Each structure stands twice: as structure tokens, then as C-alpha cells.
């Protein structure tokens, strides 16, 4: 396979890089310290088509594929992982769930404003007792007056407070296990639905993470996504694509950390020479660059398969696993190359490391990825 970007894709990459450098980079630490999701950035992202990257133009999207999408997320994360994460969660989780499994009416009502950036999306799967084991969902939905009464909560939800639209799953028939979980579209105007505790996080601090609470929240049946009992299966399919997002996010963070290390190594003088001239540093940089390139190729392979519409569970899990762990290693080596300065907020290395760690946890831990990969291997 040839994963070289074509001319149009290279133009998209350059455009997003220019945007990230001019509109995001000057504010990275300001937003991080304030733990503030920059709402003023959203219209600018929408203008570039980044709020609906993977959706057809008929639904307000940019009509791009997953190769372009992975490239965009990488370029955003190269400057700020928080912004890359928010764009990824909005596109590949909430909006994509509606695109893949929603009715035409649901797409027109919810997907169009999401893709145009007029609405902000969140996706709710994780709960306090249902993390890696998503089948342990406790939030329940009971039939009531032509709809459903939902009670429960979701944890670690990106955009839980600031979202307008949330796609979340709830148990509709506990006796059926995974086949008794259904998916619903929630609107912030619904009574009994609210964002709750905001998490004080290690990294990705400009991307809001909080809890969602449902207290006798009435959801009309027209807001159910797909058939009753399909919610868990739908979610697993959504995660196949979502893992490409996290892989691309990881590659971007790693690339940013690597570039910071190269800059510093060329500038920092010790024993009368730039430390970039020392073999110990050169070997670190060589290993970092090689691992990043391998992670990028795995990510582009998964993106190519997604665009082709073929099964990619194994490949997306491999890309997510490898790229996320590379991001952590590269970011840590970047700190090491910076020495004491890498441990301070005066240099970007420490933030790349803080941001990178989420990638080995979110949308399935490294341990879960290994289980997914092994399961696919043993099917043969």
C-alpha cells in the first residue's frame, strides 16, 4: 500500500498546520492552565470544515475520508492535544453515531447542525462501574408515554457540560445482557439531563471532561438510534473508527514532542557543543522518529481500510495501541532530552507527556486493545 498523501491531502495538511500554528499555538498554555475549552475557536474550526470532516456535504459536512481526518487530527494534536481530542470526540463519536445509525429525520435534525459547528456533540458510554467492561452499563431506560424515562449517569464524558447533543446508551432489558442495551440522542433542552462534576485532569486540560446525570429524563422514542437492544453493538462499531482518532491524536502529540526535542537539542550547548552532536541524543532522536513513522503508517492503514468499508477491528486496535504507547515514550524522551527544563512549563515537553498519557486509556485501554487484537488473531 502507498500511504503518501496526494496533492489535495497535502494541501489540507498544510492548511490545518497553518491554522494550528496561528490560532491555537499562542494560547496553548493559557487554555491549559485555565482548563478552559475555547468556545471562540469553534466557529473557526467550523469554517475550515473540521466540525464535520467525515460527513457528506448533504449533511453539512466537508465530505472528506478517514485519511484526511487522521491527518487533520494529527496536525491539531501536534500543537495541542486538547483541541485534537475535542474535534475527534465531536466527529467520530457523537456525530458519527448519528450518521451511521440514525434515521434521515435524525440526521437532518441533529447531524446537520453538528457537522456545521452550530451544535456541539458528546458521547456517553463509560460509567463509574462500566469502564473497560462497557457491558456493565447501569443507566437504564424504561418505556413511558411513547418514549423512555432514563435514570443514571455517565463518567469521563468529553464535552459533558458544554454539549448541545449527546448520544448515550442505556439498559432497556437487563435480562438480555449486551443485547439489552439501546442508544438514544439526548438534547440539552430535555428536562432531567445535565452535565455534572468536571474532572481536574493531568493532561488534555483544555478539553472538558465531566459527568452526565439523567434524573427521570424523558426521551421520545423518535430519539432512539436503531432498534431496541442494538446500542452495545453500535458502540463497538463506533469505537472501531474512534480508535483511528486516538491513534492519529497520539501520532500528532508524538510528532510535536519530537520536534520540540530536536529544536532544543540543536540549541542546547554542553561541553562546548550542541547536545544534538552527542551520539546518546542522536540515538534517542532516531528511535523516536522511527517509532512515530511506524505509528503513522499503522494509523493510515486503518484509515485506508475504514474508507474502503472493510472490517478493521484488528487494525484500528493495533494502530491505537502502538501509537498511544509510542506517544508516551516519545514525550518522555523529549523531557529527558530537555533535562531539567523539560520538567518545567517554560518548555512544551511536559505538556506533551501529560496529554499523551490519556491516549493509552481513552476509548479502550492498552490492555483492552491487546484483548481485542488477540481475539481477532485467534478467530483465524
Amino acid at each position: 500500500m502507498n500511504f503518501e498523501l496526494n496533492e489535495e491531502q497535502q494541501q489540507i495538511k498544510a492548511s490545518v498546520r497553518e491554522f494550528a500554528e496561528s490560532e491555537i499555538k499562542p494560547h496553548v498554555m493559557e487554555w491549559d492552565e485555565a482548563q478552559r475549552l475555547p468556545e471562540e475557536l469553534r466557529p473557526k474550526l467550523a469554517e475550515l470544515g473540521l466540525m464535520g470532516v467525515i460527513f457528506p456535504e448533504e449533511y453539512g459536512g466537508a465530505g472528506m475520508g478517514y485519511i484526511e481526518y487522521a491527518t487533520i487530527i494529527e496536525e491539531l494534536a501536534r500543537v495541542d492535544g486538547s483541541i485534537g481530542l475535542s474535534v475527534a470526540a465531536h466527529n467520530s463519536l457523537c456525530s458519527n453515531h448519528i450518521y451511521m445509525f440514525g434515521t434521515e429525520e435524525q440526521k437532518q435534525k441533529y447531524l446537520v447542525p453538528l457537522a456545521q459547528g452550530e451544535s456541539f456533540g458528546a458521547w456517553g458510554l463509560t460509567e463509574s462501574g462500566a469502564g473497560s467492561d462497557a457491558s456493565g452499563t447501569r443507566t437504564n431506560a424504561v418505556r413511558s408515554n411513547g418514549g423512555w424515562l432514563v435514570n443514571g449517569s455517565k463518567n469521563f464524558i468529553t464535552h459533558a457540560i458544554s454539549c448541545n447533543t449527546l448520544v448515550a446508551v442505556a439498559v432497556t432489558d437487563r435480562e438480555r445482557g449486551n443485547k439489552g442495551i439501546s442508544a438514544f440522542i439526548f438534547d440539552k433542552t430535555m428536562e432531567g439531563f445535565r452535565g455534572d462534576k468536571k474532572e481536574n485532569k493531568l493532561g488534555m486540560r483544555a478539553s472538558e471532561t465531566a459527568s452526565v446525570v439523567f434524573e427521570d429524563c424523558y426521551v421520545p422514542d423518535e430519539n432512539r438510534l436503531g432498534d431496541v437492544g442494538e446500542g452495545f453493538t453500535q458502540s463497538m462499531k463506533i469505537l472501531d473508527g474512534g480508535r483511528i482518532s486516538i491513534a492519529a491524536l497520539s501520532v500528532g502529540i508524538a510528532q510535536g514532542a519530537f520536534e520540540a526535542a530536536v529544536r532544543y537539542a540543536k540549541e542546547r550547548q554542553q561541553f562546548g557543543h550542541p547536545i544534538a552532536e552527542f551520539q546518546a541524543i542522536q540515538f534517542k532522536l532516531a528511535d523516536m522518529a522511527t517509532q512515530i513513522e511506524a505509528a503513522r503508517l499503522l494509523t493510515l492503514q486503518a484509515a485506508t481500510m475504514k474508507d474502503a468499508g472493510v472490517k478493521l477491528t484488528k487494525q484500528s486496535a493495533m494502530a491505537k495501541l502502538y501509537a498511544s504507547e509510542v506517544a508516551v515514550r516519545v514525550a518522555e524522551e523529549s523531557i529527558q532530552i530537555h533535562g531539567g527544563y523539560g520538567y518545567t512549563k517554560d518548555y512544551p515537553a511536559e505538556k506533551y507527556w501529560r496529554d499523551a498519557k490519556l491516549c493509552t486509556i481513552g476509548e479502550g485501554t492498552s490492555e483492552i486493545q491487546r484483548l481485542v487484537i488477540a481475539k481477532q488473531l485467534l478467530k483465524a
Side-chain angles (χ1 to χ4, degrees):
M1 291 183 179
N2 177 17
F3 297 124
E4 288 293 323
L5 301 182
N6 62 36
E7 185 176 349
E8 183 179 352
Q9 291 163 344
Q10 289 174 351
Q11 288 174 350
I12 291 169
K13 180 182 179 76
S15 175
V16 176
R17 176 169 291 201
E18 181 182 352
F19 173 81
E21 290 283 343
S22 62
E23 300 291 338
I24 298 174
K25 190 172 184 177
H27 309 287
V28 167
M29 291 310 295
E30 169 198 341
W31 294 338
D32 182 77
E33 292 288 337
Q35 300 190 54
R36 185 174 76 84
L37 181 68
E39 292 185 13
E40 65 272 20
L41 193 64
R42 204 185 312 163
K44 298 176 182 179
L45 291 166
E47 189 175 345
L48 282 178
L50 305 189
M51 300 300 282
V53 179
I54 52 178
F55 310 113
E57 293 180 10
E58 64 190 279
Y59 296 122
M64 300 184 202
Y66 267 76
I67 292 176
E68 291 84 358
Y69 177 54
T71 301
I72 287 165
I73 298 300
E74 177 185 335
E75 286 301 321
L76 292 173
R78 172 183 164 271
V79 171
D80 190 348
S82 293
I83 305 305
L85 177 62
S86 282
V87 171
H90 174 87
N91 274 273
S92 69
L93 297 180
C94 174
S95 303
N96 200 35
H97 200 141
I98 297 171
Y99 175 63
M100 287 183 67
F101 301 106
T103 63
E104 184 61 28
E105 290 75 19
Q106 289 169 337
K107 291 175 185 177
Q108 291 296 333
K109 183 175 180 179
Y110 293 105
L111 179 58
V112 170
L114 284 166
Q116 292 178 337
E118 297 168 0
S119 181
F120 206 30
W123 193 70
L125 181 64
T126 303
E127 298 183 3
S128 58
S132 293
D133 179 15
S135 64
T137 298
R138 306 305 299 173
T139 297
N140 68 89
V142 179
R143 289 189 183 274
S144 175
N145 298 322
W148 304 81
L149 270 184
V150 181
N151 284 279
S153 63
K154 299 290 179 181
N155 288 32
F156 301 126
I157 308 304
T158 304
H159 310 148
I161 296 171
S162 59
C163 73
N164 310 99
T165 303
L166 167 77
V167 173
V169 299
V171 176
T172 47
D173 187 344
R174 198 162 299 282
E175 293 183 1
R176 298 194 66 204
N178 289 350
K179 298 185 185 301
I181 296 175
S182 304
F184 301 90
I185 304 173
F186 295 84
D187 190 301
K188 261 295 174 66
T189 61
M190 292 176 177
E191 190 173 343
F193 163 41
R194 59 182 171 84
D196 200 41
K197 176 179 176 288
K198 180 181 176 181
E199 303 295 342
N200 185 8
K201 300 179 297 181
L202 170 73
M204 301 289 195
R205 288 162 65 86
S207 179
E208 168 199 298
T209 302
S211 300
V212 167
V213 175
F214 306 105
E215 296 173 331
D216 287 333
C217 178
Y218 178 78
V219 184
D221 194 54
E222 65 193 39
N223 278 40
R224 173 171 42 82
L225 279 161
D227 292 337
V228 173
E230 288 186 344
F232 181 81
T233 302
Q234 291 175 3
S235 296
M236 295 305 102
K237 291 178 180 177
I238 292 299
L239 286 174
D240 275 350
R243 286 168 183 148
I244 297 173
S245 299
I246 302 301
L249 186 73
S250 302
V251 172
I253 292 170
Q255 184 67 37
F258 170 74
E259 291 176 9
V262 170
R263 285 195 302 272
Y264 185 81
K266 289 179 176 180
E267 296 168 0
R268 176 66 168 170
Q269 296 270 337
Q270 289 289 272
F271 307 104
H273 297 275
I275 63 172
E277 293 183 8
F278 301 144
Q279 191 178 67
I281 301 299
Q282 291 175 354
F283 279 12
K284 286 182 184 295
L285 294 174
D287 287 343
M288 293 158 76
T290 302
Q291 292 168 18
I292 292 168
E293 192 63 22
R296 183 178 289 114
L297 289 171
L298 273 174
T299 302
L300 289 174
Q301 180 193 37
T304 300
M305 294 175 70
K306 179 69 173 174
D307 283 339
V310 299
K311 184 174 174 59
L312 71 151
T313 301
K314 181 181 72 174
Q315 283 75 13
S316 65
M318 284 179 167
K320 196 271 188 189
L321 169 65
Y322 185 73
S324 64
E325 296 197 345
V326 162
V328 174
R329 287 197 299 271
V330 167
E332 186 166 314
E333 287 286 51
S334 182
I335 291 176
Q336 194 69 20
I337 289 170
H338 281 76
Y341 290 111
Y343 204 66
T344 72
K345 292 184 183 294
D346 294 330
Y347 287 80
E350 62 86 30
K351 182 180 183 299
Y352 283 119
W353 183 85
R354 288 190 289 109
D355 287 349
K357 190 57 199 167
L358 175 70
C359 298
T360 67
I361 299 170
E363 291 194 40
T365 62
S366 289
E367 291 75 17
I368 288 297
Q369 302 313 309
R370 288 183 168 92
L371 287 174
V372 170
I373 294 164
K375 184 177 180 180
Q376 294 300 312
L377 293 174
L378 294 171
K379 276 183 177 181

